[in-house]
């Protein structure tokens, strides 16, 4: 079955620690995205990548980093510089820049304790 | 700067009636628009999309209308069913320049019996 897999579903982090969220897709999509959802704020774009070894900052990239070494994988690192990391994180992928829909993973709930 | 806006945070509709969800955008370069449905703690699922060359697209109970001059789109659900209760997000992209996909803040739809 083709799809996007995010892991883990729930993640707890101590303040001051970096943590990496996994996102893997087997849809052969070129573009991949990371969004963050907070109550009442919709989905805000953190980073996106249109092609392997290239990525662009979204609207709220501060405190986050990404890599795109393989087409299938787009991990997101939440660094200690991110002031409010507790949120629901969503990864998505899309075939290309044309008129196509994006497919989402099931999300990772990150809680800083 | 919120380029995609959903000004109604919530909407309640009786089962069998029409649900109308609205979305406004400010970026005139947006040329592809999508609607997603989201349940709590899950990733959004794609519902329907429309290209800027059209003003209407229909898929079963779902119809999306686009008014380019007003920079406004709406999603109509007829007839509404209890299973439609969820948060609905509109999204937009400028397919000419980048893969960036911008989402609105969402509207929570509750369909009552």
């Amino acid at each position: 079955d083709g799809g996007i897999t995010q892991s883990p579903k729930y993640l707890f982090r101590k303040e001051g620690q970096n943590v990496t969220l996994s996102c893997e897709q087997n849809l052969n999509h070129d573009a991949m995205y990371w969004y963050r959802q907070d109550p009442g704020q919709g989905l805000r774009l953190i980073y996106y990548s249109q092609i392997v070894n290239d990525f662009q900052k979204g609207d709220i990239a501060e405190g986050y980093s990404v890599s795109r070494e393989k087409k299938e994988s787009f991990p997101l690192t939440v660094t200690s510089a991110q002031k409010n990391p507790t949120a629901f994180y969503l990864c998505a992928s899309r075939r290309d820049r044309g008129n196509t829909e994006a497919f989402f993973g099931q999300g990772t709930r990150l809680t800083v304790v | 700067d919120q380029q995609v806006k959903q000004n109604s945070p919530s909407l309640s509709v009786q089962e069998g009636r029409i649900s109308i969800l609205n979305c406004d955008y400010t970026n005139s370069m947006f040329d592809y628009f999508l609607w997603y449905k989201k349940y709590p703690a899950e990733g959004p699922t794609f519902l329907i999309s429309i290209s800027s060359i059209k003003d209407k697209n229909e898929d079963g109970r779902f119809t999306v209308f686009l008014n380019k001059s007003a920079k406004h789109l709406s999603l109509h659900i007829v007839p509404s069913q209890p299973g439609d209760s969820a948060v609905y997000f509109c999204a937009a992209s400028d397919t000419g320049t980048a893969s960036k996909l911008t989402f609105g803040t969402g509207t929570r739809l509750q369909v009552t019996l």
Side-chain angles (χ1 to χ4, degrees), chain A residues 16-112:
Chain A
Q17 287 182 338
N18 292 355
V19 63
T20 297
L21 283 61
S22 170
C23 178
E24 303 276 333
Q25 54 100 357
N26 60 5
L27 299 166
N28 199 33
H29 285 171
D30 291 308
M32 295 187 75
Y33 308 79
W34 275 105
Y35 291 89
R36 167 181 171 143
Q37 185 185 17
D38 297 283
Q41 297 214 46
L43 303 181
R44 293 185 292 168
L45 182 64
I46 305 172
Y47 268 98
Y48 64 106
S49 168
Q50 296 175 231
I51 197 168
V52 174
N53 292 323
D54 188 40
F55 47 82
Q56 289 79 41
K57 291 182 179 180
D59 302 314
I60 55 165
E62 186 175 348
Y64 299 98
S65 66
V66 293
S67 63
R68 187 86 187 275
E69 296 175 4
K70 298 186 300 182
K71 189 174 185 178
E72 302 79 18
S73 179
F74 191 41
L76 173 74
T77 296
V78 184
T79 74
S80 57
Q82 169 48 232
K83 291 183 172 54
N84 296 297
T86 295
F88 189 56
Y89 290 86
L90 287 158
C91 178
S93 71
R94 195 180 184 195
R95 184 158 51 84
D96 55 33
R97 68 172 59 184
N99 292 351
T100 60
E101 68 267 29
F103 293 84
F104 282 83
Q106 289 301 293
T108 293
R109 166 71 63 184
L110 173 64
T111 303
V112 175

Side-chain angles (χ1 to χ4, degrees), chain B:
Chain B
D1 178 31
Q2 190 76 28
Q3 295 189 41
V4 180
K5 302 177 186 180
Q6 294 176 255
N7 292 318
S8 298
S10 63
L11 175 69
S12 184
V13 172
Q14 269 191 322
E15 181 181 12
R17 306 279 219 163
I18 183 170
S19 295
I20 300 176
L21 295 94
N22 294 304
C23 179
D24 297 295
Y25 61 96
T26 57
N27 188 341
S28 57
M29 298 303 294
F30 285 151
D31 57 2
Y32 187 61
F33 305 88
L34 309 92
W35 283 95
Y36 283 82
K37 175 180 180 180
K38 186 182 182 300
Y39 294 116
E42 293 184 9
T45 53
F46 171 74
L47 277 176
I48 192 168
S49 62
I50 188 166
S51 166
S52 60
I53 61 173
K54 295 185 176 181
D55 54 19
K56 176 183 173 181
N57 189 27
E58 194 171 352
D59 184 1
R61 295 186 299 115
F62 302 94
T63 303
V64 55
F65 295 91
L66 176 63
N67 182 334
K68 289 186 288 295
S69 60
K71 294 191 180 69
H72 177 83
L73 63 154
S74 61
L75 174 69
H76 292 209
I77 307 173
V78 182
S80 300
Q81 300 173 353
D84 295 329
S85 297
V87 177
Y88 289 78
F89 290 98
C90 66
S93 70
D94 169 9
T95 56
T97 58
S99 297
K100 187 176 178 181
L101 194 56
T102 302
F103 281 79
T105 51
T107 296
R108 181 177 302 279
L109 172 66
Q110 183 167 11
V111 180
T112 59
L113 298 174

